[in-house]
Amino acid sequence: MQTFYASCEKADHPELRNKPVIVAGDPEQRSGIVLAACPLAKDRGVITAEPLGQALIKCPEAVIRRPRMQHYIDMSVRITRILERFTDLVEPYSVDEQFIDVTGSLHFFSSPYELARCIQDTLLDQVRIYARIGIGPNKVLAKMACDHFGKTNNEGIFELTRRNIKQYLWPLPVGELFGVGHRMERNLIGMGIRKIDHLVHYPLGLLRKRWGVNGELLWMTAHGMDTSPVSAGTFRAQKAIGHHMTLPYDYSEITDIRVILLELSEEVAYRARVKKYMGHVVSVGISGSFDRHTGFYRQTTLPFATSFGLDIYRAADRLFMENWDRLPVRSAAITLSALQTRDNCQLDLFGRLEEKEKLSDAVDAIYRKYGKTAIFRGPSLMPSSQLRVRAAKIGGHYK
């Protein structure tokens, strides 16, 4: 969906149709960050993730809308229901992007292009949102067709096949290949692989020797190979449960950081209990100040499965203290993985599992009836706490 958040705002407010619209985070926090900018604002140089003040210098006449995350989620679900009229194989990839396998629907249309155009028209008619569409014989080619060509051409539709990737895909910088992040891009460039074409012709054995299966996967992606199916049940069986928090300012004191680790741990534990999961592996991700690329990502395996907040916190705190470089922290994330259902877990003779479950069930009942701020642990009374602020938000933004 083209500039999804901004498109939702324009769909709800027709008077904004011909005006540059920016959806930005709370201006009181970090001067506000641009979450989405409509094409009119982008034409003035506004880019996603830049400070709102900087965006307004480029486009002073822009209309600023605060994010409404619950509304965007509802709209995303509505779009999914529309796509399901064309095929039962719809796989949400993010709040504004979906994979659909239309193999079984093609015989109703003269060509894949005509089907894509029909989907575009239907979404415009029913939700007033414009979709950019990539077509391919597999997910990875469809994704890159959309990202690199469908988003930039006038029709908003592009088909990438094994026949035309040499002409369109291979000349692109290697950083444009799906699955290549900034760190991998630096590594590849250091090996002399500057374009996707260079990766295509690089010896597979050397890639496999350096990066194992990931090196082979990148080589396959460059060749347009992908065997992963479009699966409507992708998010039904969850592999991990995590929560990330960007802080309003740099935290330097360990007491303040521990408050955040505790609140993240309690949130992850609550989400796990809601979905009736317990997990064995706790992961911690830390990022430093915006102007410093510092931080780490580490994980540890517990001797027992848990969905109890303090169990997760103790493991997270230990990981943090072992790896923290004592530089300021701007964001933190905690993840619980190696999940299993609560009714199918190995009992721990010394873990007081039954006592923890009773306590957690009582707390969850209070949450459901009175909200997340009705009961909490003492450290959340400290000024560094983000509990009350986050309780009013979805995905870090106001509902």
Side-chain angles (χ1 to χ4, degrees):
M1 306 303 121
Q2 179 175 271
T3 59
F4 184 52
Y5 298 169
S7 294
C8 287
E9 296 300 327
K10 287 197 170 189
D12 291 344
H13 301 279
E15 69 275 12
L16 301 178
R17 180 178 179 180
N18 297 316
K19 296 181 179 180
V21 172
I22 296 174
V23 178
D26 187 354
E28 298 175 2
Q29 302 279 344
R30 307 186 307 280
S31 300
I33 297 296
V34 175
L35 301 177
C38 76
L40 292 176
K42 287 185 175 181
D43 288 344
R44 298 292 300 275
V46 178
I47 58 176
T48 303
E50 73 175 331
L52 178 58
Q54 186 173 318
L56 287 174
I57 293 174
K58 301 174 181 176
C59 186
E61 72 275 22
V63 177
I64 311 303
R65 303 289 300 182
R66 285 179 178 268
R68 299 181 292 154
M69 299 310 296
Q70 185 60 59
H71 177 62
Y72 306 149
I73 293 171
D74 293 341
M75 185 65 78
S76 180
V77 173
R78 186 177 173 188
I79 290 169
T80 301
R81 299 287 88 83
I82 293 173
L83 295 177
E84 287 172 345
R85 301 176 195 169
F86 294 88
T87 174
D88 58 346
L89 295 176
V90 179
E91 178 183 336
Y93 184 68
S94 66
V95 70
D96 65 343
E97 196 167 5
Q98 317 213 20
F99 287 112
I100 64 174
D101 185 339
V102 295
T103 305
S105 308
L106 281 177
H107 63 280
F108 293 112
F109 299 85
S110 60
S111 68
Y113 180 90
E114 289 303 319
L115 173 52
R117 177 64 72 193
C118 183
I119 291 173
Q120 269 188 341
D121 293 342
T122 302
L123 290 173
L124 270 174
D125 179 61
Q126 299 195 13
V127 294
R128 297 191 297 277
I129 289 179
Y130 183 60
R132 299 281 188 172
I133 299 176
I135 305 171
N138 54 49
K139 291 164 68 175
V140 72
L141 283 181
K143 168 69 173 167
M144 291 189 289
C146 181
D147 286 352
H148 302 316
F149 308 105
K151 289 181 179 179
T152 57
N153 66 16
N154 293 331
E155 294 80 16
I157 300 172
F158 192 86
E159 183 172 7
L160 200 57
T161 69
R162 296 286 296 277
R163 294 190 187 93
N164 66 7
I165 58 174
K166 182 177 181 179
Q167 176 185 356
Y168 292 103
L169 184 65
W170 290 2
L172 298 179
V174 71
E176 302 295 329
L177 185 69
F178 180 67
V180 174
H182 294 302
R183 184 175 299 178
M184 178 60 76
E185 181 182 12
R186 290 196 298 270
N187 287 328
L188 291 171
I189 291 175
M191 297 168 61
I193 303 173
R194 298 181 303 279
K195 296 182 179 181
I196 296 176
D197 180 67
H198 299 158
L199 182 61
V200 168
H201 295 96
Y202 203 85
L204 175 58
L206 295 179
L207 292 171
R208 191 187 291 120
K209 182 178 180 180
R210 177 158 185 176
W211 285 301
V213 66
N214 289 329
E216 184 170 356
L217 181 61
L218 287 178
W219 185 88
M220 291 177 62
T221 301
H223 281 82
M225 302 177 188
D226 180 20
T227 59
S228 59
V230 173
S231 174
T234 295
F235 294 105
R236 292 173 190 166
Q238 199 154 355
K239 297 180 180 178
I241 296 173
H243 193 54
H244 172 271
M245 188 184 302
T246 299
L247 305 174
Y249 55 89
D250 293 348
Y251 281 31
S252 301
E253 299 296 327
I254 182 60
T255 52
D256 294 335
I257 298 171
R258 279 176 162 156
V259 171
I260 299 304
L261 293 178
L262 178 60
E263 292 178 352
L264 286 170
S265 299
E266 291 289 356
E267 178 62 25
V268 169
Y270 173 71
R271 292 182 180 182
R273 294 194 299 269
V274 167
K275 297 187 177 183
K276 303 188 185 307
Y277 282 122
M278 303 176 78
H280 281 278
V281 177
V282 175
S283 307
V284 175
I286 298 294
S287 296
S289 303
F290 290 153
D291 57 347
R292 294 180 180 178
H293 297 288
T294 60
F296 61 86
Y297 183 87
R298 297 290 185 275
Q299 67 181 36
T300 185
T301 300
L302 303 177
F304 53 86
T306 188
S307 59
F308 189 60
L310 282 185
D311 289 339
I312 298 173
Y313 167 72
R314 292 187 185 107
D317 183 64
R318 184 171 64 254
L319 284 171
F320 179 78
M321 293 306 298
E322 290 173 352
N323 296 280
W324 184 36
D325 54 12
R326 283 9 184 218
L327 293 175
V329 172
R330 177 50 71 97
S331 69
I334 291 179
T335 303
L336 183 67
S337 57
L339 302 178
Q340 59 189 77
T341 57
R342 285 183 66 177
D343 57 358
N344 186 32
C345 66
Q346 178 67 43
L347 295 177
D348 178 18
L349 294 177
F350 309 103
R352 299 160 64 191
L353 179 60
E354 185 176 357
E355 180 181 333
K356 292 175 182 177
E357 285 188 345
K358 288 181 178 179
L359 175 59
S360 297
D361 289 344
V363 170
D364 293 347
I366 295 173
Y367 284 162
R368 288 192 297 271
K369 188 170 184 179
Y370 300 107
K372 292 286 188 67
T373 58
I375 186 170
F376 49 82
R377 297 192 180 276
S380 291
L381 290 170
M382 295 177 61
S384 55
S385 169
Q386 294 296 302
L387 178 68
R388 294 169 187 78
V389 175
R390 303 286 295 191
K393 297 181 177 182
I394 294 177
H397 305 288
Y398 288 105
K399 306 174 185 179

